[in-house]
């Protein structure tokens, strides 16, 4: 399963890239609002850090507006994926982008049928929001599992991108459910790296190493 970072924070993206685990990035207006500046500049800088897909989200509600914004984003870098919210106009825009060879990520997907329609319209990435479904007492992971199975049965090329990931368990569950991608906040990525026994073990090994070196140095000093 590919791992995308769900952030517009450049330092977080640089860090994940250095760790060698970054396959792409998703942004949205809320994540962009946290960093500010020019959205174009932020997105271009991200595309300079990763060669993987970088989602830039359109805001317009009408098809022509979505197309204008998306075509503009697509010119910013070759790895841009235009993010379009699920709606009747969104499906039309996705279909038009597909005809133009512009890749899209259908966002705000909350049902398997929405995901199926987005895939049929030609979206490359389908983003069910796992955490937001869990928040309203619905099992978000069911959508991931059903879409992964449907895409496999019908040999559909679209990839299932587990979004709105809130904790490390979501990442494991998304992988087991057959998600092609999980997009994770940096905090969740850090939580995935750490385990209390790993961190404790590192401290203990360092301590024992230093004791052994000190004992060896003392022995050699006694001999000479
Ligand atoms: C990513 O593409 C989505 O916009 C993001 O995962 C939404 O996450 P949230 O539900 O935590 O805002």
């Amino acid at each position: 399963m590919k791992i995308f970072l769900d952030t517009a924070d450049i330092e977080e993206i640089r860090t994940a890239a250095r760790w060698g685990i970054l396959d792409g990035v998703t942004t949205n207006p809320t994540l962009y609002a946290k960093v500010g500046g020019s959205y174009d500049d932020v997105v271009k800088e991200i595309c300079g850090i990763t060669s993987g897909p970088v989602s830039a989200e359109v805001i317009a509600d009408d098809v022509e507006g979505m197309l204008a914004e998306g075509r503009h984003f697509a010119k910013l870098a070759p790895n841009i994926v235009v993010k379009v919210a699920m709606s009747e106009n969104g499906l039309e825009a996705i279909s038009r982008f597909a005809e133009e060879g512009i890749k899209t990520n259908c966002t705000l997907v909350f049902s398997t049928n929405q995901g199926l329609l987005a895939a049929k319209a030609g979206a490359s990435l389908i983003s069910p929001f796992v955490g937001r479904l869990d928040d309203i007492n619905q099992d978000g992971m069911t959508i991931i599992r059903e879409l992964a199975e449907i895409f496999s049965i019908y040999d559909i090329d679209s990839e299932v991108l587990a979004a709105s990931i809130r904790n490390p368990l979501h990442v494991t569950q998304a992988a087991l459910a057959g998600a092609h991608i999980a997009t994770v906040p940096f905090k969740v990525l850090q939580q995935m790296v750490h385990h209390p026994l790993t961190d404790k073990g590192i401290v203990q090994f360092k301590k024992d190493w230093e004791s052994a070196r000190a004992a060896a140095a003392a022995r050699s000093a006694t001999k000479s």
Side-chain angles (χ1 to χ4, degrees), residues 6 26-28 30-31 55 57 83 105 107 127 129 131-132 135 161-166 183 185:
D6 198 20
T26 48
T27 67
N28 66 30
T30 308
L31 296 170
S55 292
E57 186 159 342
K83 210 174 182 193
N105 171 356
T107 191
S127 293
F129 276 33
R132 292 193 198 186
D135 288 345
L161 193 170
S164 189
I165 293 284
R166 299 276 162 79
T183 188

Side-chain angles (χ1 to χ4, degrees), residues 28-81:
N28 66 30
T30 308
L31 296 170
Y32 161 59
K34 289 183 186 164
V35 300
S38 143
Y39 189 48
D40 283 7
D41 288 348
V42 170
V43 164
K44 274 196 280 187
E45 197 168 355
I46 297 171
C47 289
I49 300 169
T50 178
S51 57
V54 174
S55 292
E57 186 159 342
V58 300
I59 297 303
D61 299 320
D62 61 302
V63 176
E64 289 310 320
M66 289 176 185
L67 290 173
E69 288 177 33
R71 286 173 188 140
H72 168 77
F73 290 147
K75 283 189 195 131
L76 295 177
N79 49 334
I80 288 281
V81 174

Side-chain angles (χ1 to χ4, degrees), residues 25-164:
V25 174
T26 48
T27 67
N28 66 30
T30 308
L31 296 170
Y32 161 59
K34 289 183 186 164
V35 300
S38 143
Y39 189 48
D40 283 7
D41 288 348
V42 170
V43 164
K44 274 196 280 187
E45 197 168 355
I46 297 171
C47 289
I49 300 169
T50 178
S51 57
V54 174
S55 292
E57 186 159 342
V58 300
I59 297 303
D61 299 320
D62 61 302
V63 176
E64 289 310 320
M66 289 176 185
L67 290 173
E69 288 177 33
R71 286 173 188 140
H72 168 77
F73 290 147
K75 283 189 195 131
L76 295 177
N79 49 334
I80 288 281
V81 174
V82 177
K83 210 174 182 193
V84 181
M86 179 68 197
S87 68
E88 294 178 15
N89 284 345
L91 285 175
E92 186 173 335
I94 286 168
S95 162
R96 299 267 299 275
F97 281 130
E99 282 165 14
E100 294 177 23
I102 293 175
K103 292 195 169 166
T104 52
N105 171 356
C106 185
T107 191
L108 289 168
V109 168
F110 290 96
S111 76
T112 303
N113 280 340
Q114 286 181 323
L116 180 58
L117 290 175
K120 286 189 68 72
S124 308
L125 308 176
I126 313 294
S127 293
F129 276 33
V130 173
R132 292 193 198 186
L133 279 167
D134 287 0
D135 288 345
I136 58 162
N137 204 25
Q138 289 183 22
D139 180 15
M141 219 47 81
T142 300
I143 317 287
I144 302 292
R145 190 172 301 105
E146 288 181 352
L147 281 174
E149 193 174 339
I150 289 168
F151 291 0
S152 165
I153 292 169
Y154 293 101
D155 219 3
I156 292 171
D157 285 339
S158 309
E159 293 183 288
V160 181
L161 193 170
S164 189

